[in-house]
Amino acid sequence: MFEKVNLEVPFDGLHWMFDHAETISARNIERVKALGGGIAIQHRMAYQGEYFIDRYGTKAAEGTPPIARMLSIGVPVGAGTDATRVASYNPFVGLYWLVSGKTVGGKLLYPKGNRMERMEALRLYTVGSSWFSSEEGKKGAISSGQLADLAVLSDDYFSIPEERIKSLTSVLTIVGGKIVYAAEEFSNLAPPPLPILPEWSPVAKYGGYARQPVNAANSTSLDAHKPLHLGCCFHQPRCRSLNLNQVGDLSALWGATGCDCFAF
């Protein structure tokens, strides 16, 4: 379809893309490249890898998606999340998945050839993704003349053990030169907190993503390492009380803004 459209209305440098592409073939990667397209990947397999293997086998899962192949032929690749319907918006889980090749449950998905070095994975989340909004050179790097978007992390992403990458958090987040979040030693710089939406989100109780306990390098925080539960409407009291076999008007289920699905 894209090739047919291009024959009549040439893309001529348009930044167009395919999303997800977990099972894209080598031939189709070449076709995307030929048309000047990009591929945006998400860490859905970090949460669903075990299910994929159960259904299609370990071999089929080794290149889901075939990131190394995409990069080797020069296709623009940007990393992100598919939150909140499929996965979590937490970028550090995504970085852990790219670097380790594992699911959040610890299942190894990818051979070394389809795993990323830490800097390469970080670049996919930053500079790599700037291509998709046609903002190359404007954002994605801590560089003179680019947007002042940066984060100070709770630990050194480049040196901590692989398993701890998914437990990283930001202690200072700056967007456009403005502090939008601050914690720990930067707490005195914190702006007023935003209201938690939806109100039933577990963040209201647990305060966000848990990290490993301080001074407990050999211990494990259960909350920090268990897979995030993919919840949907039925976690809300109003929805649990509904009998779907008896519901005639689904407006009570979906609410005013659609399905209130949430990943936590």
Side-chain angles (χ1 to χ4, degrees):
M1 179 66 71
F2 279 79
E3 290 164 337
K4 290 179 179 178
V5 170
N6 182 62
L7 289 175
E8 296 186 21
V9 185
F11 292 159
D12 195 23
L14 176 70
H15 287 198
W16 69 276
M17 44 82 78
F18 278 116
D19 213 13
H20 309 308
E22 278 98 353
T23 57
I24 190 171
S25 67
R27 172 62 183 136
N28 282 338
I29 296 174
E30 294 170 357
R31 294 168 77 187
V32 172
K33 168 69 174 176
L35 289 177
I39 299 175
I41 61 170
Q42 293 81 35
H43 64 330
R44 301 192 300 181
M45 289 293 289
Y47 295 89
Q48 300 179 0
E50 288 88 350
Y51 297 104
F52 189 96
I53 289 173
D54 286 345
R55 187 168 185 178
Y56 300 107
T58 301
K59 188 66 178 176
E62 290 183 352
T64 52
I67 307 170
R69 174 66 177 170
M70 298 172 187
L71 294 173
S72 70
I73 67 171
V75 172
V77 177
T81 63
D82 200 32
T84 57
R85 302 298 174 112
V86 175
S88 160
Y89 55 79
N90 184 351
F92 304 111
V93 175
L95 288 169
Y96 166 79
W97 164 72
L98 288 169
V99 170
S100 70
K102 296 178 182 178
T103 68
V104 291
K107 180 69 174 180
L108 181 63
L109 294 170
Y110 311 134
K112 187 170 180 58
N114 201 41
R115 303 199 296 263
M116 306 289 104
E117 297 294 332
R118 297 190 191 200
M119 177 59 82
E120 187 177 30
L122 184 61
R123 286 182 63 84
L124 293 185
Y125 255 95
T126 52
V127 175
S129 290
S130 69
W131 182 90
F132 293 83
S133 56
S134 299
E135 293 178 291
E136 312 100 301
K138 297 179 181 179
K139 63 190 300 185
I142 302 176
S143 178
S144 177
Q146 295 206 22
L147 296 177
D149 299 344
L150 59 94
V152 178
L153 304 186
S154 56
D155 215 329
D156 182 5
Y157 162 73
F158 292 103
S159 64
I160 58 174
E162 230 174 48
E163 284 298 314
R164 288 175 55 191
I165 293 176
K166 59 187 172 184
S167 299
L168 286 169
T169 61
S170 172
V171 294
L172 180 67
T173 305
I174 299 174
V175 178
K178 179 182 178 181
I179 296 174
V180 296
Y181 175 79
E184 298 185 10
E185 64 264 45
F186 300 104
S187 295
N188 62 318
L189 302 175
L194 296 172
I196 295 172
L197 295 174
E199 295 177 354
W200 51 267
S201 167
V203 172
K205 179 176 180 180
Y206 296 106
Y209 291 96
R211 297 205 309 274
Q212 285 185 320
V214 177
N215 299 323
N218 296 322
S219 66
T220 300
S221 168
L222 177 62
D223 285 342
H225 297 289
K226 68 183 180 181
L228 301 186
H229 181 75
L230 301 182
C232 196
C233 329
F234 292 94
H235 291 281
Q236 298 181 75
R238 65 177 175 141
C239 294
R240 286 198 299 267
S241 65
L242 293 174
N243 182 335
L244 293 186
N245 292 323
Q246 299 174 353
V247 172
D249 180 5
L250 291 180
S251 61
L253 174 62
W254 303 120
T257 58
C259 179
D260 289 332
C261 293
F262 193 79
F264 62 89

